[in-house]
Amino acid sequence: MARTRLYLVRHGEQDPASDHAPEGGLSRLGREQADRLGRRLRTVPFSTIHYSPLTRAAQTADVVAGHLPRVPKHACDHAADRTPVPSAERRGLYPDRWHAWLDGVPADERDEDAVALRAAVHHLGVTGDEDRHELLITHNFVIGWFVRHVLDAPDWRWIGLDQANCGITTVQWDSDRPPALLSFNDTGHL
């Protein structure tokens, strides 16, 4: 039975001086969070580190990779910052109380009907001939979408599944059973 275990991690705290700009880097606390995360994960037999192309995720990956020197890392579009929003046809599947908030999602973050996030799950959430462990350094809503998928929850249920900076969520795919949530937002290392 082959298995894939994904460790989903939200990047370290962004520097507040960046005013949440897309290219904002890590704060001093964010670097400390990433260092603690790297120390926590140093014994996991990772095959790769995927990270979002945004600066805060790339910097988190750099710090973590210092504790995993033999593990290759790469910017990965599947880890990019996205907000799944419903199309007009699917809007009714989301509770009314979220519509105004979803309408305000910036155009560059919108992932209509979660097309890109579904592709990310399809690409990363598969088993092969051998067991593998992969680290995905990404963003809050991406992790929420993976958790929603693994739990087979309604599309809108990613909302409210908030992750701490550098918290660890672990999901697993086995070749002979449905995917499973192994841990959610583990912050014991912080």
Side-chain angles (χ1 to χ4, degrees):
M1 166 175 72
R3 107 179 4 142
T4 296
R5 189 171 288 177
L6 292 180
Y7 293 74
L8 307 168
V9 173
R10 185 179 183 188
H11 57 79
E13 179 189 75
Q14 187 172 359
D15 186 349
S18 71
D19 196 32
H20 300 297
E23 290 310 311
L26 294 178
S27 68
R28 173 182 267 158
L29 175 59
R31 289 187 180 285
E32 176 64 24
Q33 291 166 334
D35 183 64
R36 288 175 182 225
L37 173 67
R39 283 186 273 142
R40 168 81 181 273
L41 296 176
R42 69 178 171 235
T43 61
V44 178
F46 288 115
S47 58
T48 192
I49 301 169
H50 310 277
Y51 63 89
S52 165
L54 292 181
T55 303
R56 59 192 180 270
Q59 289 178 348
T60 302
D62 287 344
V63 173
V64 170
H67 296 278
L68 304 167
R70 293 184 187 92
V71 181
K73 66 181 175 66
H74 66 101
C76 178
D77 191 53
H78 291 300
D81 192 9
R82 306 184 193 289
T83 304
V85 296
S87 61
E89 298 80 31
R90 299 181 57 87
R91 189 173 174 92
L93 299 176
Y94 277 64
D96 291 342
R97 69 183 179 274
W98 296 109
H99 290 181
W101 182 82
L102 290 164
D103 291 344
V105 172
D108 62 333
E109 293 178 19
R110 297 175 77 81
D111 181 12
E112 190 168 287
D113 291 337
V115 170
L117 287 170
R118 291 177 200 279
V121 169
H122 179 75
H123 179 77
L124 296 168
V126 295
T127 58
D129 295 331
E130 297 180 8
D131 289 353
R132 70 182 216 276
H133 296 76
E134 297 185 2
L135 177 59
L136 190 69
I137 298 175
T138 187
H139 305 275
N140 191 43
F141 298 157
V142 175
I143 297 168
W145 184 265
F146 270 84
V147 171
R148 180 227 59 85
H149 172 82
V150 166
L151 296 177
D152 200 22
D155 282 0
W156 65 271
R157 198 53 195 99
W158 61 269
I159 298 172
L161 296 176
D162 295 326
Q163 311 296 306
N165 293 109
C166 288
I168 303 168
T169 292
T170 311
V171 292
Q172 181 170 292
W173 280 262
D174 289 296
S175 57
D176 64 345
R177 64 181 70 165
L181 176 64
L182 302 182
S183 69
F184 180 75
N185 199 32
D186 177 356
T187 58
H189 53 289
L190 300 175

